[in-house]
Amino acid sequence: MTDQLRQMLADAGRVLAMEGHGDYVAGHISVRLPGDAGRFLMKPAGIGIEEMRPDNIITVDIEGRKVDGTMPRHNEVFIHSEVMRARSDVQCVIHSHPMHAVAFSSLDRPLVAVGNSSGYFADGRLPIFSETTDLIISQERGNAVARCLGKNAALILRNHGIVATGGSIEEAVWTAVNLERACQLQLLAESAGGPRLVAEGEDLKKKRGRGDRPDLHKNTFGYLLRRWRCVCCGEIVPAPHVTTFENKDQK
């Protein structure tokens, strides 16, 4: 089970890099170990998120101490440990520096539902952590990030990056990818004078319900991994048979 989790974490780093979340050797992702809520696997420092392999991933405890692995630990480990301490439902935490999200954070404007991806974060569902724009390198600051996140799926660290979470690796990746796309869409609208028409009310609520599902998280992750293998390895991977929770009106 742990071997499979290590491989999935490495795969997550690859698809995140492909989707614009790579920043040289910055950024990191973690996943809680099954059966041990106080420990998690994490990308080591010194490499890109796409360079993770099952054998270079480190193990960290809930206090932020490295307990296994040969490579160094990120200074911002406390984003992961403190969010996991505060949220027993969170199994995976991503911190990255996607370009559009960072640029959007400088506008000091709320994210609105310009498109489908934006709807999951509109209406106050995207906190902005503005206590500092510096790195989160202490338990105290990590705890402040966790408090700011609250029960939301993601937040923006102003002029810094994002924190995305999920009950699985697939969900956290889905959240991170959609947040970056949402910020990109709004920047496009802002460059044309600002969004005038947005999804709202009952329409927005229905869109959220249709689009935020475990099967969609898994299917999107599988698609991104197949695309990474095709683009980076020249490997054509056939799409599997897909079963969804809804049998009609799929998009």
Side-chain angles (χ1 to χ4, degrees):
M1 180 65 175
T2 302
D3 290 344
Q4 293 176 340
L5 205 59
R6 286 175 177 271
Q7 184 61 59
M8 184 176 284
L9 197 65
D11 289 339
R14 292 163 180 161
V15 301
L16 284 168
M18 180 179 66
E19 290 295 299
H21 290 257
D23 185 13
Y24 304 105
V25 299
H28 19 91
I29 177 172
S30 63
V31 63
R32 206 188 296 260
L33 280 167
D36 189 349
R39 293 191 177 193
F40 52 92
L41 302 176
M42 184 177 178
K43 170 192 172 289
I47 62 173
I49 55 174
E50 74 277 20
E51 294 183 298
M52 279 189 295
R53 303 188 312 271
D55 62 351
N56 65 23
I57 291 169
I58 63 173
T59 305
V60 180
D61 70 16
I62 202 67
E63 301 301 328
R65 298 173 298 220
K66 186 179 80 170
V67 295
D68 188 47
T70 60
M71 296 192 70
R73 184 212 70 185
H74 277 281
N75 289 334
E76 289 191 303
V77 65
F78 301 108
I79 294 174
H80 304 261
S81 60
E82 294 307 302
V83 168
M84 288 188 183
R85 189 197 304 272
R87 293 273 301 274
S88 61
D89 60 311
V90 167
Q91 301 301 311
C92 179
V93 178
I94 295 168
H95 169 52
S96 60
H97 306 151
M99 190 177 300
H100 298 96
V102 174
F104 172 75
S105 77
S106 72
L107 300 182
D108 194 25
R109 297 181 186 175
L111 189 72
V112 295
V114 173
N116 290 343
S117 57
S118 316
Y120 311 112
F121 310 105
D123 291 345
R125 293 172 177 238
L126 184 65
I128 308 296
F129 182 78
S130 55
E131 182 177 303
T132 182
T133 63
D134 197 3
L135 302 185
I136 310 301
I137 58 172
S138 70
Q139 281 188 323
E140 181 182 10
R141 277 278 161 78
N143 183 262
V145 169
R147 289 198 308 270
C148 182
L149 178 67
K151 295 299 183 182
N152 296 289
L155 61 69
I156 285 181
L157 302 168
R158 184 171 67 80
N159 303 103
H160 180 171
I162 70 166
V163 176
T165 68
S168 65
I169 291 175
E170 296 100 324
E171 183 179 7
V173 168
W174 182 92
T175 299
V177 168
N178 272 282
L179 178 53
E180 168 65 355
R181 183 178 291 264
C183 292
Q184 182 178 14
L185 282 172
Q186 184 149 340
L187 286 174
L188 286 171
E190 297 285 354
S191 69
R196 297 182 182 179
L197 302 174
V198 298
E200 55 190 353
E202 191 64 24
D203 193 36
L204 176 57
K205 184 178 179 180
K206 288 180 179 179
K207 287 176 71 171
R208 282 181 183 146
R210 291 183 189 277
D212 188 3
R213 309 186 315 270
D215 62 315
L216 184 58
H217 305 155
K218 182 177 180 180
N219 293 340
T220 300
F221 186 85
Y223 161 74
L224 289 172
L225 185 55
R226 293 192 301 275
R227 184 153 68 89
W228 179 84
R229 289 172 176 167
C230 180
V231 171
C232 296
C233 305
E235 180 183 355
I236 305 300
V237 182
H241 173 73
V242 172
T243 301
T244 61
F245 292 150
E246 295 183 6
N247 294 318
K248 59 181 180 179
D249 297 331
Q250 296 296 303
K251 182 177 180 180

